[in-house]
Every structure is written in C-alpha cells, then in structure tokens.
Amino acid sequence: MRLTFRYRTRVDFDSPVTEHHLLLSCLPRNFDNQRVETVDLILAPNAQWVENEDWCGNRSVYAYLAEEHAYLEALVTGSCETGLAPQTQWEEAPSAVWRVATERTTAGPCIRALHQKLAQSAPETVYERVLHFSQGVHEAMRYEPGTTSIHTTGEEALTSGRGVCQDYAHILLALLRRDGIPARYVVGLMQGEGSSHAWVEANCKGWWYGFDPTNCLLADESYIKISHGRDYGDCVVSRGVFRGKANQTQCIEVSVQPVPEAQ
C-alpha cells in the first residue's frame, strides 16, 4: 500500500524567545516492511538544521534558531510504500537490551498480577503468546486522554485502568519482558489517528512483529513506523529548550492517506 503522510507540530509562545534548540524525531526510514519514497521537512521561521541517527538508527533532526521568535513550526510530508513484509529482521542492539525492564516498564504488583493471570491461559508459541498478552492489555485498560502524562509508568497506568497508546505500550512491554520475550517501543503514524501513535514490536523467532494493544490490532500496512527504542524516552517525537520566560502551547496535526490505485 502506498500512503502519503503529513506531520505538523507548532509551538507558540506568549512572548518572544531566543536561542531555541529543537530535536525532532519524526522522519520515517526504511525497514523490511516499508520503503520511504519521499520526505520533506519545512521549518518556520527558517532555522539551521542537520540530520543525525541515534543508537537505534532512528532519524533525528537538530534545529537551532538564534533570533527572537514567537513560534516555531515543523512540517514533515512524504510518502511510503508499506506492507512489504509482515515482519522485519532482527538488527542493531543486542537482544538483552529488549529484555531488560526500564523505569517506565518495571513490573509492580498490578503488572505482576496481570502477567500471572494471562500466563495461565497463554499459548506456548511466542507469536500467539504476544497476541494473547496484547489482547489482555486492551481489555484491562480504558482509553482516556488526559489521565496520564509522558512520565506515567506502565504500572501506574494499569493501576488506574486508564490511559493512552503510550501507556498501553508500556504495559505490554512490561508483560513481555517479564515473560522473557524481547520487545521494543515503537512510534509512528497510522490511518485514522490525529496525532502520532505508539505500539510494540516483539521478537518472534528472529523476526520483529508489530502489535497494537490500544486498538487490539496487528501493525499492518496502514501503519508508518518512525522510530523504536526501549520505551517512550527513546522515541520522543519533539523536544526543545529556549532562552526566555515565555509560556508555550503546542499543536500537533497528523494525516495519513492511502494513494488511490491507478485505473
């Protein structure tokens, strides 16, 4: 499937700021299951920027705007061919990295109890086992924006029973890592979402498969992957610092559309 995407983030300040440093990680890259055809980045006001890769190979852009300004906007557009394979090959970091719990994915009493409950009826094959745990997270949680923050751990979210895609992913990661299954946090775009989305990739016999516990779906050709890491902290889409005492408000808009097939 060919998809076009548009990611726009804008930060407005209530008084001018200077020396604005911005790190953006919103550029998709090639994997076995997707191929980036085009990608363009426009920054306004015009700022100097360079592209780099992090330790996972994720693409990132560092931008700097020294002059006084009251807003900063980044617009990323492009197209991808998706659904090229149902999985991606094992690569990059040693397997131990994806088995170790992080601060956001450490199992507390609630996650340990859920793991014990789900493990009793979980299939033996890794792929079916991950599906089982993903469905269990979906059923244990209620999607409710505004009830958690970027600092909320999976244990905290499960305790409240409410959260967003980030929280669902952290809970599933905690369950899989507790079960000895290598798993990583993924950020990307999908059809039907108005912002970036998070899901999980689990390693099943040497191949990474995508599981979306928020929607109880597999990450198929309607998903565009941007980055992966140990948890949210490795995959922050945008972050910045600036000089000034201004308050800021941020707006994010995402659009993913299929390209109609030629008649």
Side-chain angles (χ1 to χ4, degrees), residues 5 94 104 130 140 161 171 202:
F5 60 90
R104 292 181 174 90
V130 179
I171 296 168

Side-chain angles (χ1 to χ4, degrees), residues 124-146:
E124 291 187 6
T125 61
V126 177
Y127 183 85
E128 296 295 331
R129 197 171 182 87
V130 179
L131 276 176
H132 180 73
F133 282 118
S134 182
Q135 182 176 352
V137 174
H138 180 77
E139 294 174 352
M141 293 289 288
R142 183 170 74 249
Y143 190 86
E144 193 170 325

Side-chain angles (χ1 to χ4, degrees), residues 12 30 35 57 72 77 95 114 174 182 202 205 210 222-223 233:
D12 287 283
N30 294 330
R35 180 173 63 87
L72 185 58
T77 58
S95 60
L114 181 59
K205 294 185 177 180
S222 63
Y223 292 66

